[in-house]
Amino acid sequence: MNILVFAEQIDGSFKKSAFEAVSYASQIAQAHSGNVTAVVPGNVADDKLAELANFGASKIVSIKHDKLNGFNAETYAKVICNTATSENSGIVVISNTYSGKSVAPRVAARLKAGIASGVISMPNTSNGFVVRRGVFSGKAFADVNLTTDVKVLAITPNTFNTIENKQAVNIINAESGLADTDFTTQSVEINRVTGKIPLTEAEIVVSGGRGLKGPENWHLVEDLATALGAATACSKPVSDMHWRPHSEHVGQTGITIKPNLYFAIGISGAIQHLAGVSSSKVIVAINKDPEAPFFKAADYGIVGDAFEIMPKIIEAAKAFKNS
Amino acid sequence: MKILVCVSNVPDTTTKVTFTENNTQFNTGGVQFIINPYDELSLTRALEITEKQGGTVTTVTVGLADTEASIRKALAIGANDAVRINAAPTDAYFVAEQIAAYAKAENFDLIFTGRESIDYNGGQVCGLLAEMLGLPSVNVITSIEVEGGKATMERDIDGGKEKVSANLPLVVSAQKELTEPRIPNMRGIMAARTKPLKVVEPAGVAATSATVGFELPAPKGSVKLISVEDAGSIIGILHNEAKII
């Protein structure tokens, strides 16, 4: 079975999730005697494209077009589907990032393919084609059987490891087949937060709640995050009170995350918050209320005043970093 | 301006999730259903747009009769009329096909969906619907202004934000920040009783997926407590014991 991977790039470089997606596809290909082709819309240099071959892509279809440098759901779906058709792909693998979430359903509709998003397992083909995904904002899992000939899988970042599987590089430069009229949405301005780790990709997240009493105390979250190389996050009340931007709100109605380590500082652990973070591998909860629900979900807990506890942890984290 | 808002009927956020029928069905017993929070944002923003420049807001829901409480709430918030496509939703593809079949003949200028439903979290309806209708789509918008047949939006992208523009007609999905949801007032609740709620039969479409089972996450072991005096030792524990840093 041939598998196509949409390998996402930003400014000519691949994200870690692109390598995860190629590694994931490569494992399916090995189990089903197939080949992995990666499709890359936008101008990416050949030496960068070749990085995908390190993780199992034996063919890379590069579609260099200035207007494809920025992400556009409609035109990206067209070039991905054209490639899937010409490569006779039975599975299309896409990362479940913001861009991936925009393009995957469009790809599925164009190919009349069943789609599963937020996938967290390899496909089980013993009885159909079943993949597992998180539902109810992380409160449960669903096993979904895709019954169409072509399948679209949008896989959750930070779930599958990158696996070295070096292939000979076969880079094909393909025409986009797009006309100017295909670009129906126009990018006016892009503002990326530089110097900060994006929440959805972070392996460590330090998060604060109402227990921090005000935005002026957020340096406690930021100092620990800096020492650990972590992203920062917050609970819903904190973003509702505008102490922190909405983009940092994790939970059922915010961002669902799956880091290796989640520090919850001054967050009681409402069911809606836990739904968005409970897939974290290890959770550390700090709260002065020993009855806080977070202590039931956490692996490690410290019961006490965050203002007394945090300086000690920050100091230890700085010492660890410098050791 | 003719706006369609897709409204999903979902379990309340405080719901304790359990399953029945050998873990193949969500247990709706005792569960309170609400309008999907992202759809509420869509509805409010749609009303703000039509209040400013005229037009109508229609809601569409794919669901059986038990979804009508949520639909009436959407009417109470301010939608002009509502459509219920009389089918139990099986997956996002099915839902999008049903809405597309209805919307095709209606020539909406703008179609809102939520970023995702808070139960099945697929986030697929916006893109599926747009592709089925041959329209552009912009996902996870945090603002939208409409003027002269053109929409200017801000959306979340990986690691930041992007300002984009597109001509109408257009399909967008609402992200938090889009606006503050409205609470229905008594006048709205009274008015909702007489607003049109049209029921249409579903279009026959082929299934593309089936949920074959559910599972709850394994229960967590007990928490290991560290004293306040030894708080700094958590870093060593995470390195040596949990091997996570």
Side-chain angles (χ1 to χ4, degrees), chain A:
Chain A
M1 187 183 295
N2 293 333
I3 302 166
L4 183 71
V5 179
F6 160 45
E8 229 179 281
Q9 55 93 12
I10 294 179
D11 299 335
S13 294
F14 292 112
K15 300 165 66 175
K16 188 178 124 215
S17 56
F19 301 132
E20 290 173 0
V22 173
S23 302
Y24 177 85
S26 175
Q27 287 178 78
I28 304 175
Q30 283 170 38
H32 296 277
S33 318
N35 297 315
V36 176
T37 299
V39 56
V40 185
N43 299 341
V44 179
D46 280 5
D47 58 332
K48 285 276 182 190
L49 289 169
E51 291 173 0
L52 298 173
N54 294 334
F55 300 95
S58 56
K59 189 172 179 182
I60 296 157
V61 178
S62 168
I63 303 168
K64 293 187 171 66
H65 187 302
D66 284 345
K67 282 192 170 177
L68 289 175
N69 285 341
F71 173 77
N72 178 307
E74 211 178 348
T75 48
Y76 269 47
K78 278 187 185 171
V79 298
I80 293 167
C81 291
N82 291 345
T83 313
T85 305
S86 62
E87 295 295 316
N88 196 22
S89 310
I91 302 172
V92 181
V93 175
I94 293 172
S95 299
N96 207 41
T97 56
Y98 278 123
S99 303
K101 284 177 190 176
S102 299
V103 78
R106 297 201 71 121
V107 168
R110 283 184 87 83
L111 297 176
K112 303 209 180 316
I115 170 172
S117 52
V119 171
I120 54 168
S121 77
M122 299 301 294
N124 178 348
T125 53
S126 60
N127 185 15
F129 187 98
V130 177
V131 286
R132 175 162 280 206
R133 52 184 302 267
V135 289
F136 297 98
S137 308
K139 289 184 214 167
F141 306 111
D143 292 327
V144 180
N145 185 24
L146 299 179
T147 53
T148 46
D149 289 342
V150 180
K151 288 107 175 151
V152 175
L153 304 178
I155 63 169
T156 302
N158 258 354
T159 304
F160 302 98
N161 293 328
T162 53
I163 299 170
E164 294 266 346
N165 174 18
K166 203 166 172 57
Q167 302 288 317
V169 189
N170 179 15
I171 298 174
I172 311 282
N173 284 298
E175 291 295 321
S176 72
L178 296 167
D180 279 354
T181 49
D182 286 318
F183 292 86
T184 52
T185 61
Q186 284 81 41
S187 178
V188 179
E189 191 182 333
I190 290 179
N191 288 307
R192 279 191 212 283
V193 182
T194 52
K196 282 192 97 174
I197 299 161
L199 244 182
T200 47
E201 289 181 26
E203 293 185 0
I204 304 176
V205 174
V206 181
S207 186
R210 262 186 302 197
L212 283 168
K213 297 193 190 306
E216 67 279 8
N217 297 319
W218 228 257
H219 61 92
L220 294 170
V221 170
E222 279 161 352
D223 287 353
L224 181 58
T226 303
L228 294 174
T232 57
C234 69
S235 64
K236 183 173 184 291
V238 163
S239 70
D240 285 350
M241 290 185 287
H242 305 292
W243 293 0
R244 300 298 297 171
H246 286 295
S247 55
E248 288 197 4
H249 163 204
V250 290
Q252 188 163 10
T253 52
I255 299 170
T256 300
I257 54 168
K258 208 179 172 206
N260 288 335
L261 174 59
Y262 183 73
F263 266 94
I265 303 155
I267 305 173
S268 64
I271 190 167
Q272 297 94 330
H273 185 83
L274 292 176
V277 304
S278 57
S279 298
S280 309
K281 275 190 196 137
V282 172
I283 294 175
V284 179
I286 297 165
N287 204 292
K288 65 181 179 187
D289 175 9
E291 300 300 320
F294 233 131
F295 289 120
K296 288 200 174 71
D299 300 274
Y300 300 98
I302 308 174
V303 180
D305 184 349
F307 297 98
E308 190 181 341
I309 293 164
M310 286 303 291
K312 293 179 181 180
I313 300 180
I314 292 164
E315 193 186 330
K318 282 181 180 167
F320 174 75
K321 187 185 173 187
N322 295 327
S323 65

Side-chain angles (χ1 to χ4, degrees), chain B residues 35 59 61 67-79 82 184 188-189 191-198:
Chain B
I35 300 176
T59 67
T61 301
T67 61
E68 289 197 1
S70 289
I71 299 173
R72 287 282 171 208
K73 187 182 171 194
L75 292 169
I77 290 170
I189 293 165
R193 292 182 184 171
T194 53
K195 283 183 180 175
L197 196 172
K198 189 168 138 194

Side-chain angles (χ1 to χ4, degrees), chain B residues 138-153:
Chain B
V138 180
N139 239 13
V140 287
I141 60 163
T142 54
S143 75
I144 181 168
E145 298 297 334
V146 182
E147 207 180 308
K150 195 173 173 180
T152 307
M153 296 146 280

